[in-house]
Amino acid sequence: MTERIPLSAPDITDAEIAAVTAVLRTPCLSLGPELEAFEKALAEYHGVDHAVVVSSGTAGLHLALLALGIGEGDEVILPSFAFVAVANAVLQVRAMPVFAEIDAATLNLEPAAVERAVSRRTRAILVVHTFGVPAQMDALGTIARRHGLAIIEDACEALGARFGDETESRRVGSFGDLAVFGFYPNKQLTTGEGGAVLCRDAVHAAQLRSLRNQGRRCDGNAAPKSGASISGWLDHAEPGYNYRLSEMACALGRAQLSRLGEMLAMRKAAAQRYDKLLAQTPGVERPPLHRVQREISWFVYAVRLPADVDRDHVQSALAHDGIATGRYFPPIHLQPAWRGHSSATVSLPVTEAIASRMLALPFFNRIEERQQKKVVEALRWAVSSR
Ligand SMILES: Cc1ncc(COP(=O)(O)O)c(C=O)c1O
């Protein structure tokens, strides 16, 4: 039987299964000690004051925009070469997404294009660290300061990446006013579903905790103890949401975070193996990331095919060999869901040209060199037989 090689795969250890099981043996399955410990560990890892865990990266984006008071009449600058949730979150708060062009090498927002997109309605820049590659936080920070804009980092794909130079670098997520992470199973760290928002400001943190827990102003982390009064539990100071993350998910996240360094090293080694194997594959362009300032946290390994190669043909040829691939990312402004929206009537030639050539290869912590050789062999054959 043909071996199937998935695009991504979670990496869960026995210790992590034991951590989740241990929670299931307690009466506290939500809003308990695991949540507090996971938040503390995330804040410490990033050197920021507050981490608020939520039910997904999308929920985190929604809350980050709400915490900044962004709403109707406001504009938020963001890339179109991104997962669709970033733009949907902006729409969810009734603000206007303004798509800006990306840098062809890093696939991150091009600072000069961001500056051109600033208008008197702009309130924030939503900076996505695409594929785990740190965005130009120095230049983007300067633009934000010059125009009085907030920065929300979307670090859903970039946990552990660092930006800076030889002398000083910091983890992404510690630069913006708020930063959002996602823990879906294809991410560097998973809680099944889940996410987190980091912030520096205690007022933002209190608001995030309240909003994720149905607008309860009481300590957002405290659920009623069994048998105790539930009076505070039914007092809602503002309209909110159920964006809570379960104790089981927090236990898994905390255990995963404790070995994140090891997991990121496995991913970096896998990327280096692809780089080496693909060096002898004519026509397939490897990620051109040699100029990246500091440290990538490898999320996916995506190559660029020649413009005259039929990507669908390549994908089906690989699928025939049991190899999954992904078209990361179709630009948001070209998605059927965005057709007719005024944000979508934008010309982004770099985004469009690059997106049409991208192909993500199978990439996960424990991918074996043997599997990568098989992927590269199949890719070489498919590209040459176009
Ligand atoms: C850049 C980016 N933002 C937001 C999200 C949304 O995260 P979630 O799927 O946890 O809602 C993702 C998920 O893939 C993402 O890659």
Side-chain angles (χ1 to χ4, degrees):
M1 212 173 70
T2 311
E3 177 194 17
R4 299 188 64 76
I5 309 181
L7 189 55
S8 69
D11 175 16
I12 307 293
T13 62
D14 287 347
E16 285 153 13
I17 293 170
V20 174
T21 311
V23 172
L24 289 167
R25 296 187 197 286
T26 74
C28 183
L29 303 188
S30 182
L31 297 174
E34 287 297 337
L35 178 145
E36 266 178 44
F38 187 31
E39 289 188 340
K40 189 163 175 279
L42 279 170
E44 274 172 15
Y45 181 77
H46 291 94
V48 299
D49 287 337
H50 310 280
V52 177
V53 294
V54 289
S55 52
S56 69
T58 307
L61 287 168
H62 184 200
L63 293 194
L65 290 158
L66 289 176
L68 288 171
I70 291 174
E72 198 148 7
D74 295 332
E75 292 179 359
V76 176
I77 299 172
L78 74 174
S80 174
F81 186 83
F83 184 60
V84 72
V86 293
N88 289 348
V90 176
L91 277 196
Q92 206 176 346
V93 299
R94 299 169 166 273
M96 183 68 83
V98 175
F99 297 115
E101 193 56 286
I102 54 169
D103 172 79
T106 64
L107 308 177
N108 282 325
L109 280 173
E110 167 64 59
V114 169
E115 185 131 46
R116 281 195 298 278
V118 173
S119 81
R120 62 188 171 78
R121 292 173 182 268
T122 310
R123 289 283 316 282
I125 311 172
L126 207 171
V127 180
V128 182
H129 300 287
T130 306
F131 297 166
V133 177
Q136 253 342 94
M137 294 316 299
D138 49 358
L140 292 168
T142 304
I143 293 168
R145 278 191 297 278
R146 188 153 51 229
H147 298 278
L149 309 176
I151 289 190
I152 300 175
E153 290 180 76
D154 181 336
C156 285
E157 302 172 6
L159 182 66
R162 300 182 79 94
F163 176 78
D165 58 24
E166 294 287 312
T167 54
E168 204 204 337
S169 72
R170 274 168 30 212
R171 293 210 161 97
V172 303
S174 64
F175 290 86
D177 298 274
L178 296 115
V180 178
F181 290 85
F183 306 135
Y184 189 70
N186 64 348
K187 299 297 190 297
Q188 292 88 331
L189 176 156
T190 188
T191 57
E193 296 283 358
V197 187
L198 307 187
C199 62
R200 311 156 188 280
D201 184 322
V203 175
H204 282 159
Q207 198 180 359
L208 293 167
R209 291 205 159 91
S210 165
L211 289 172
R212 79 156 168 210
N213 192 15
Q214 306 286 15
R216 293 178 170 104
R217 264 291 147 79
C218 57
D219 174 3
N221 284 353
K225 303 282 174 283
S226 49
S229 154
I230 59 163
S231 59
W233 185 248
L234 292 179
D235 292 339
H236 305 274
E238 60 188 331
Y241 309 87
N242 177 359
Y243 286 164
R244 298 184 298 261
L245 190 64
S246 78
E247 283 289 281
M248 292 75 81
C250 291
L252 176 55
R254 194 153 71 92
Q256 289 242 302
L257 188 60
S258 71
R259 65 182 184 97
L260 183 63
E262 184 191 310
M263 294 199 287
L264 295 183
M266 286 192 254
R267 298 176 87 87
K268 185 174 180 177
Q272 285 169 342
R273 287 198 297 271
Y274 266 137
D275 267 346
K276 220 155 133 197
L277 290 166
L278 285 161
Q280 294 111 37
T281 307
V284 176
E285 209 182 307
R286 295 170 288 169
L289 295 173
H290 34 276
R291 279 191 299 113
V292 167
Q293 229 170 307
R294 214 53 197 160
E295 185 88 28
I296 298 166
S297 163
W298 284 90
F299 169 52
V300 295
Y301 190 94
V303 295
R304 299 166 193 209
L305 301 179
D308 61 343
V309 162
D310 178 351
R311 183 173 55 180
D312 291 347
H313 160 79
V314 173
Q315 280 201 285
S316 7
L318 268 69
H320 186 260
D321 288 344
I323 299 167
T325 53
R327 292 180 298 124
Y328 277 24
F329 281 107
I332 298 171
H333 70 285
L334 301 183
Q335 292 279 358
W338 283 76
R339 210 164 283 149
H341 192 278
S342 56
S343 293
T345 57
V346 61
S347 166
L348 299 170
V350 177
T351 295
E352 290 177 24
I354 285 178
S356 67
R357 298 170 49 212
M358 296 295 293
L359 190 70
L361 305 181
F363 189 74
F364 41 93
N365 293 2
R366 294 182 194 276
I367 190 166
E368 294 172 25
E369 182 158 14
R370 160 192 78 73
Q371 293 173 305
Q372 292 182 279
K373 279 185 176 155
K374 185 178 163 185
V375 171
V376 171
E377 196 95 326
L379 181 63
R380 190 176 299 151
W381 184 86
V383 169
S384 63
S385 69
R386 60 186 118 139

